[in-house]
Amino acid sequence: MDVVSHVTLLGGACTRAAIVERCGSAEVDRALRPGALVRVARGRYATASASEAVKAASSLGGIMSMRTAAQQHGWGLKQVPALPDVTFARTRRLDARARAMVVPHWSEIDERDVTAGATGVQRTLIDCMRMLPLDESLPILDSAVRADDVSPDDVRRIADSMNGRGRTRARGVAALVDGRCTNPFESTLRAIGSTVPGLGLVPQLGIKISERRTLHPDLADPALGLIVEAESFAWHGKSAALTRDCWRYNTFTLLGWTVIRFSWFQVMQRREYVLGALEEASRLLHRHANVARGAVDRPL
């Protein structure tokens, strides 16, 4: 898989370190030369759609916002939108040609909230928390925390300071923010899991398997003994990687954990399947726990 495909899987933007780890510095530099990747901030790169967004917003007199602003800050997304999010003054009218170039939004944005043609960190977070569904907003917020642009406490303070429409939604998203998810794929999966009653998925929980070794599954509910893994084919392109992961899953299972796995396609395109599987896993494991406590009758 090439560099651009890797960055796309990482949400359309990532740190140089993250992509060098996958592809090597020479491949990253090679992708930069023809503009397949663009530098959006120090040590952060995005796909070429970031450059197209700058052109579209500039030509129409708007401000890059929401998902597009997040990409400009170098934060990963659930998926890069086909058209950039651009916010215009409430009095601005757009013709059909302009509407075909962008996803338009209308709001008043203080010039102090604008950096290099995009909404700044705080305004971008507010707009994403207020306007986007959970499985799109949480990956952006988690990514902002991983990038050290904000802390989870900062995000919660921002949400608490909001007024008007979307405040309740924003506070709910902010309560879930956790920069330990390693990429937007895992954050999207955790967002889906957060809607399942009785399921509390923790990212990168440390599970000690020996005196010297600790494993960190993508997501885990220690109370239920459930591990949920986000599987990308891109990371299993080599035999050694596949063998290592088989060993991990076997180890978890032999330690008594229930392990379920979801592909990138399932998480991004088959949300109802993922939700249903997590609901059923939670139901079964809660029942098993109740049986073990003698809280329900054991089957004959």
Side-chain angles (χ1 to χ4, degrees), residues 92-112:
R92 179 76 160 86
R93 296 291 180 265
L94 297 179
D95 59 25
R97 180 193 65 84
R99 287 174 179 268
M101 294 172 60
V102 299
V103 177
H105 309 275
W106 284 270
S107 179
E108 298 306 324
I109 299 178
D110 192 299
E111 63 181 21
R112 292 171 296 183

Side-chain angles (χ1 to χ4, degrees), residues 125-132 141 155 158-159 162 169-170 174:
L125 295 175
I126 288 173
D127 288 346
C128 290
M129 287 191 287
R130 191 190 301 275
M131 303 297 294
L132 296 179
L141 269 63
V155 174
I158 292 170
M162 292 171 57
R169 172 188 286 188

